[in-house]
Amino acid sequence: MPTTTHTIRYSTPRKGHANAHQLLAKFEDLYGFMVEGNVDDVNVLNDVRERMREQGRVWWALEASKGANWYLQPRISSNGGSEGVISVTSLKLSVLTNTITLRRLIRKGVPPVLRPKVWLSVSGAAKKRSTVPETYYDELIRATEGKTTPATLQINHDLPRTFPCHSWLNSEEGQASLRRVLVGYSFRDSEVGYCQTEEDAFWMLAVLLENVLVNDCYTDNLSGCHVEQRVFKDLLAKKCPRIAAHLEAMGFDVSLVATEWFLCLFSKTLPSETTLRVWDVLFNEGAKVLFHVALAIFKMREDDLLRIQHIGDVIDILQTTAHHLYDPDELLTFAFDKIGSMTTNTITKERKKQETVVMAELDQRIRRLSSLKMDG
């Protein structure tokens, strides 16, 4: 995807808003997405871009001292994959050091130019691709050409609505490339079917759905998504008990906002650079990161949330906060330093506890629908 130059245009101030900090700015960000924010938001983005350049220099310095692509070497997995069962005592100290260094580096951000290689490596996508012939993707695409399934019909329906303001994704080339990735994966895993360089994107999608995220998040009944929402509600009660109690007293269901966060991995909620910084950590440390970030958004506005009494105000505060989180370091510092530790094992245990309840509820719903059809 081409990198574009930032162009900033200030809109006419709204009546009664003479303060320059309240002027709106529209511009194209580093990834080609249109952004609208006030002058303070623009200043934050300029600071973020400068920090990205500084972080890039840290990565280049490590390449100079450790060798090119040092981060692609064997390491202890952070996301609960099969590599994580290797005993630390059996690893060379250099591998352990690289693992710790890489984790710290990734939490501070992966330079955009390195993201393709780093994501493929730390997520396990490169390893997954290595288990099939090199021609696998090309053959899969050829095999799916001209075939129509419910998934391909849904993909064709959704493509024009996928980031329509993005020049490349809205182009004929961009939509054709995205369609091949989505259709190809819908044939690789017919249970998932479809939910909202090209071959690399395919393998990132594969490892995301098959290894990083919980199972069945995107199947027809969304059972995995229901499980995640129940786990999140329990974690909110443990990590932010005052917020959880207040929202429960109001009758507010956190899934009203959190469902989209988890299903879209914050891509429809956070600014693009902040989203990608969350994904940097997600691919390295696993789905627990989604819980850290979601809890952080609530925690950041704890005082405001405790004051309000209307459900609509809760949604407005959380959405407005998320849309203006242009500083990824602020969010990620809160997510890991203020929320505290949450291991993958802890979340796995929570999921198992909730899976039984969710499946029972879904079964009951199916029985109820069947009964209504028979009565009708």
Side-chain angles (χ1 to χ4, degrees):
M1 195 178 300
T3 300
T4 54
T5 303
H6 296 273
T7 55
I8 300 178
R9 172 169 60 85
Y10 292 97
S11 66
T12 303
R14 292 171 292 178
K15 186 176 180 181
H17 291 261
N19 190 330
H21 293 279
Q22 294 170 327
L23 292 173
L24 293 180
K26 290 185 178 181
F27 55 96
E28 194 174 82
D29 71 9
L30 182 64
Y31 306 98
F33 293 98
M34 291 304 300
V35 178
E36 179 173 307
N38 60 36
V39 178
D40 288 335
D41 295 330
V42 175
N43 290 335
V44 169
L45 279 172
N46 287 333
D47 289 341
V48 168
R49 285 198 295 272
E50 180 56 36
R51 291 203 299 268
M52 286 170 57
R53 285 191 284 270
E54 292 176 2
Q55 182 67 359
R57 288 191 281 270
V58 174
W59 283 78
W60 310 142
L62 280 169
E63 286 217 339
S65 64
K66 291 177 175 287
N69 301 331
W70 65 272
Y71 43 83
L72 306 183
Q73 301 306 311
R75 62 192 185 86
I76 306 170
S77 175
S78 299
N79 61 19
S82 59
E83 294 170 303
V85 300
I86 300 175
S87 170
V88 173
T89 56
S90 68
L91 294 168
K92 291 182 179 179
L93 182 59
S94 61
V95 174
L96 179 58
T97 302
N98 280 357
T99 299
I100 296 171
T101 301
L102 187 60
R103 178 171 174 155
R104 290 174 179 167
L105 272 178
I106 287 175
R107 286 194 179 184
K108 291 183 179 180
V110 179
V113 70
L114 292 180
R115 276 193 174 120
K117 284 196 300 184
V118 174
W119 281 9
L120 278 168
S121 174
V122 301
S123 68
K127 183 177 181 180
K128 183 179 287 288
R129 181 167 61 184
S130 71
T131 64
V132 299
E134 289 186 6
T135 57
Y136 176 89
Y137 180 71
D138 290 336
E139 291 175 358
L140 180 63
I141 296 305
R142 284 196 295 271
T144 63
E145 285 180 358
K147 292 187 177 180
T148 301
T149 67
T152 61
L153 293 173
Q154 187 64 47
I155 290 169
N156 292 337
H157 177 70
D158 285 349
L159 275 177
R161 304 184 300 173
T162 303
F163 299 115
C165 295
H166 191 284
S167 57
W168 186 79
L169 288 175
N170 201 36
S171 69
E172 184 175 343
E173 177 191 3
Q175 293 209 353
S177 179
L178 182 57
R179 186 183 188 279
R180 285 192 293 270
V181 171
L182 296 174
V183 169
Y185 191 78
S186 76
F187 278 84
R188 174 180 168 88
D189 187 345
S190 59
E191 287 296 317
V192 170
Y194 163 66
C195 50
Q196 288 175 309
T197 80
E198 185 177 310
E199 186 174 353
D200 287 348
F202 171 84
W203 287 109
M204 288 304 304
L205 179 61
V207 80
L208 182 69
L209 297 182
E210 296 168 14
N211 301 92
V212 177
L213 301 179
V214 68
N215 292 334
D216 300 328
C217 254
Y218 302 96
T219 50
D220 289 340
N221 63 10
L222 297 176
S223 60
C225 180
H226 292 303
V227 169
E228 297 293 75
Q229 291 308 301
R230 283 181 164 275
V231 172
F232 176 63
K233 186 176 180 180
D234 281 357
L235 289 173
L236 185 67
K238 292 175 182 177
K239 297 289 186 176
C240 310
R242 295 172 66 209
I243 297 175
H246 181 66
L247 296 181
E248 186 173 358
M250 289 174 56
F252 179 76
D253 185 348
V254 295
S255 66
L256 287 173
V257 292
T259 296
E260 182 180 85
W261 295 355
F262 280 74
L263 281 176
C264 300
L265 309 181
F266 295 98
S267 64
K268 293 181 68 176
T269 305
L270 298 172
S272 59
E273 176 59 28
T274 306
T275 299
L276 293 174
R277 285 285 301 279
V278 170
W279 290 4
D280 286 344
V281 191
L282 171 68
F283 288 128
N284 187 49
E285 299 186 34
K288 70 172 186 177
V289 172
L290 302 178
F291 295 98
H292 275 278
V293 172
L295 289 168
I297 295 173
F298 275 83
K299 186 69 175 175
M300 292 171 85
R301 298 303 299 271
E302 180 170 16
D303 292 341
D304 293 321
L305 290 172
L306 293 177
R307 278 196 297 266
I308 61 179
Q309 300 298 327
H310 300 288
I311 289 175
D313 292 336
V314 177
I315 296 173
D316 183 58
I317 284 177
L318 293 171
Q319 288 183 338
T320 301
T321 298
H323 290 324
H324 288 270
L325 279 169
Y326 290 103
D327 187 346
D329 291 313
E330 178 188 13
L331 174 62
L332 292 174
T333 297
F334 226 99
F336 293 105
D337 294 350
K338 303 292 185 182
I339 297 302
S341 176
M342 287 189 295
T343 67
T344 299
N345 286 339
T346 298
I347 292 174
T348 299
K349 290 177 182 177
E350 287 286 335
R351 284 174 178 153
K352 288 181 179 178
K353 184 174 72 176
Q354 298 297 343
E355 279 173 3
T356 304
V357 179
V358 167
M359 296 312 296
E361 287 182 351
L362 291 174
D363 184 60
Q364 187 178 17
R365 186 182 304 172
I366 292 171
R367 290 172 184 267
R368 188 163 57 247
L369 290 173
S370 298
S371 177
L372 289 173
K373 288 180 181 179
M374 290 178 64
D375 292 342

